[in-house]
């Protein structure tokens, strides 16, 4: 976790995967998260409830911590990307009473009898554990969406110790191999190896061919392309446009990054009236690195210190050791010109022993930090992981502006 002063403090480790972890996704604010491993499993964890060992007076372990909630093995191929579609409901016996707990307790009583809730409290059972998430396998043309629900314990012991199970909700088929995806606002973005980003929107009408009782139709609504209409391109040119990263800033705006080191901000999506969208009139482009873009993370809106206007913002990292924070600066709508993409903070990640040498930034995340002693003043903290195995925190501040 991040602590006062911008540092990072170790909390605990979660053991279970038999080989490397390749993807993580936070499920909700109650501490649940998902991990995907090279062992072809996705695991569900709880980082806050029942996480400490129970010891006797002599220090012997009486009960192991319940950090691991479930192991899902329904995957034929290695999952290397997870996106949360719906956080669902998570009710633990020690939670404060709220509407989610009341609903879950009423359901449990109706299904298992009046004593079921009391037994769950004594045995520290999870009362409700639901949600929905999407998975993507490497070089696959499909995005799989899964529904998760609590395991019915009326038959006795939990299968494999799992408190939750998953069922395939639907499969979204794409035209080419998908390199990355992101979700938000009832939308899915899929970026492929041809440089095209396809947007899917969740329909309110049910599909006659959908999977599962909660399935909805996903409709392909836009295709964002870096190419000019009708122009042929060589395989080498196409390879450079392969989409590596995607990030929503809001429902009308998202950022894409290609293998060429170029980022594009696509905005005013709701105003589009064509299926195929070309870069010239609908995006802001900038080549930020000759290497690869290793991550894009949304920041909280930043305030222009000159005008006081709030701007959509994000941070992007690259394998040549740079972390750049950018904002979409609103222009006067009366002039009918596009917003400007501005860079307001740049950090060069260097080696501790030699500041003249850049160190690759391999991953990036964003957390809330605080500047005041009472925690009233909040600002985004960018967390980076580099090729030297070091984790660092940055505070992007609006000091100067460069038009991109």
């Amino acid at each position: 976790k991040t602590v006062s002063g911008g540092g990072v403090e170790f909390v605990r480790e979660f053991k279970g995967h038999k080989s490397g972890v390749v993807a993580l996704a936070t499920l909700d604010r109650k501490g649940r998260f998902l991990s995907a491993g090279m062992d072809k499993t996705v695991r569900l964890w709880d980082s806050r409830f029942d996480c400490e060992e129970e010891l006797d007076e002599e220090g012997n372990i009486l009960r192991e911590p319940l950090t691991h909630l479930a192991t899902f093995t329904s995957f034929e191929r290695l999952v290397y990307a997870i996106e949360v579609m719906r956080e669902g409901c998570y009710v633990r016996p020690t939670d404060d009473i709220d509407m989610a707990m009341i609903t879950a307790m009423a359901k449990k009583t109706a299904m298992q009898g009046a004593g079921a809730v009391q037994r769950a409290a004594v045995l520290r059972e999870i009362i409700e554990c639901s949600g929905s998430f999407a998975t993507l396998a490497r070089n696959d043309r499909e995005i799989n969406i899964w529904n998760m629900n609590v395991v019915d314990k009326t038959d006795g012991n939990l299968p494999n110790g799992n408190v939750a199970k998953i069922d395939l909700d639907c499969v979204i088929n794409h035209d080419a191999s998908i390199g990355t995806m992101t979700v938000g606002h009832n939308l899915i973005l899929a970026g492929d190896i041809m440089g095209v980003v396809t947007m899917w929107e969740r329909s309110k009408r049910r599909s006659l061919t959908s999977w599962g009782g909660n399935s909805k139709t996903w409709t392909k609504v836009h295709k964002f392309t870096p190419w000019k209409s009708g122009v042929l391109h060589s395989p080498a040119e196409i390879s450079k446009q392969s989409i590596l990263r995607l990030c929503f800033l809001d429902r009308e705006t998202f950022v894409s990054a290609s293998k060429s080191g170029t980022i594009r901000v696509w905005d005013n999506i709701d105003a589009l009236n064509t299926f195929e969208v070309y870069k010239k009139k609908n995006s802001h482009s900038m080549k930020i690195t000759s290497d690869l873009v290793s991550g894009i993370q949304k920041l909280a809106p930043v305030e222009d210190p000159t005008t006081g206007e709030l701007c959509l913002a994000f941070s992007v990292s690259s394998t040549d050791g740079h972390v750049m924070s950018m904002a979409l600066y609103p222009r006067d709508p009366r002039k009918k010109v596009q917003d400007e993409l501005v860079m307001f903070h740049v950090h060069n990640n260097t080696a501790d022993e030699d500041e003249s040498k850049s160190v690759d930034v391999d991953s990036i995340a964003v957390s809330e930090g605080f500047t005041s002693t009472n925690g009233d003043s909040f600002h985004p903290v960018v967390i980076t992981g580099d090729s030297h195995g070091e984790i660092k925190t940055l505070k992007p501040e609006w000091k100067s502006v460069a038009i991109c």
Side-chain angles (χ1 to χ4, degrees):
K1 65 179 180 180
T2 54
V3 295
S4 178
V8 179
E9 182 179 287
F10 173 78
V11 179
R12 62 178 58 90
E13 62 182 10
F14 300 84
K15 296 181 178 180
H17 283 288
K18 297 178 181 178
S19 54
V21 176
V22 295
L24 295 168
T26 301
L27 188 56
D28 59 23
R29 291 183 175 271
K30 289 190 174 182
R32 287 187 302 169
F33 68 95
L34 295 158
S35 64
M38 296 183 70
D39 54 5
K40 295 184 180 180
T41 68
V42 170
R43 294 176 184 253
L44 175 67
W45 308 87
D46 185 340
S47 63
R48 297 183 184 177
F49 169 66
D50 212 5
C51 292
E52 303 298 332
E53 297 172 338
E54 187 175 316
L55 307 176
D56 61 18
E57 295 180 355
E58 298 178 354
N60 299 314
I61 298 176
L62 294 177
R63 183 176 54 81
E64 296 287 344
L66 184 60
T67 54
H68 177 254
L69 299 179
T71 299
F72 306 127
T73 59
S74 307
F75 312 99
E76 296 180 358
R77 302 178 61 186
L78 167 66
V79 172
Y80 84 102
I82 306 175
E83 290 285 339
V84 172
M85 307 292 297
R86 175 178 55 86
E87 71 175 48
C89 181
Y90 187 42
V91 178
R92 302 163 290 198
T94 56
D95 286 347
D96 294 333
I97 296 178
D98 57 11
M99 186 55 65
M101 175 172 275
I102 293 172
T103 302
M105 290 170 63
K107 178 182 175 182
K108 193 173 186 67
T109 299
M111 298 291 293
Q112 301 179 23
V117 174
Q118 184 176 359
R119 288 194 301 272
V122 172
L123 298 175
R124 300 177 68 82
E125 292 179 352
I126 305 300
I127 299 173
E128 181 62 88
C129 187
S130 62
S132 176
F133 61 92
T135 59
L136 176 64
R138 188 173 297 278
N139 298 322
D140 203 349
R141 296 190 179 193
E142 296 179 348
I143 294 175
N144 293 327
I145 300 177
W146 306 85
N147 278 331
M148 179 174 64
N149 289 290
V150 70
V151 170
D152 185 1
K153 307 179 187 66
T154 55
D155 296 331
N157 295 328
L158 299 177
N160 301 319
N162 289 355
V163 303
K165 61 182 179 179
I166 59 171
D167 297 297
L168 186 61
D169 182 50
C170 65
V171 178
I172 295 177
N173 294 297
H174 196 66
D175 297 333
S177 294
I178 304 170
T180 185
M181 67 171 176
T182 191
V183 304
H185 317 286
N186 282 326
L187 301 170
I188 294 178
L189 293 176
D192 64 34
I193 61 173
M194 306 294 288
V196 174
V197 178
T198 302
M199 175 179 285
W200 303 76
E201 184 174 27
R202 188 171 184 174
S203 170
K204 294 181 179 180
R205 295 193 302 174
R206 295 184 182 273
S207 169
L208 296 176
T209 59
S210 60
W211 297 68
N214 296 321
S215 297
K216 300 291 181 66
T217 303
W218 287 90
T219 305
K220 191 186 298 185
V221 290
H222 293 300
K223 182 178 178 181
F224 301 87
T225 176
W227 312 111
K228 295 181 180 179
S229 178
V231 179
L232 297 177
H233 300 276
S234 69
E237 290 176 314
I238 293 174
S239 175
K240 289 181 180 179
Q241 297 301 327
S242 177
I243 303 297
L244 300 181
R245 305 288 174 182
L246 289 167
C247 178
F248 270 113
L249 300 185
D250 61 15
R251 181 179 170 84
E252 295 190 13
T253 313
F254 72 89
V255 187
S256 65
S258 66
K259 194 175 179 180
S260 66
T262 299
I263 62 166
R264 289 190 176 88
V265 180
W266 304 81
D267 62 350
N268 297 321
I269 294 172
D270 281 352
L272 297 175
N273 54 16
T274 59
F275 172 71
E276 193 142 3
V277 183
Y278 298 98
K279 67 177 183 179
K280 185 175 181 179
K281 294 183 179 181
N282 300 282
S283 71
H284 315 268
S285 302
M286 179 188 181
K287 184 175 177 63
I288 62 168
T289 178
S290 57
D291 284 13
L292 299 177
V293 174
S294 56
I296 306 174
Q297 288 288 328
K298 174 185 175 181
L299 298 175
V302 295
E303 182 178 309
D304 179 349
T306 304
T307 65
E309 289 192 79
L310 287 177
C311 310
L312 293 175
F314 62 96
S315 286
V316 55
S317 61
S318 62
T319 55
D320 59 3
H322 290 97
V323 179
M324 292 146 283
S325 296
M326 303 183 183
L328 198 59
Y329 191 76
R331 298 284 296 273
D332 189 343
R334 292 171 297 181
K335 296 180 180 180
K336 296 183 179 180
V337 294
Q338 285 187 314
D339 296 342
E340 289 180 327
L341 182 61
V342 300
M343 186 182 300
F344 64 89
H345 187 272
V346 179
H347 169 77
N348 185 30
N349 190 49
T350 58
D352 292 338
E353 65 278 5
D354 186 354
E355 293 189 357
S356 65
K357 293 183 179 180
S358 296
V359 177
D360 298 0
V361 177
D362 296 326
S363 59
I364 184 175
V366 172
S367 175
E368 286 185 342
F370 51 87
T371 55
S372 61
T373 55
N374 58 11
D376 289 338
S377 179
F378 286 92
H379 65 82
V381 171
V382 176
I383 305 171
T384 64
D386 64 33
S387 58
H388 283 191
E390 294 184 349
I391 297 175
K392 298 176 182 178
T393 58
L394 312 172
K395 179 187 174 184
E397 295 180 299
W398 191 302
K399 295 181 177 178
S400 61
V401 169
I403 305 299
C404 301

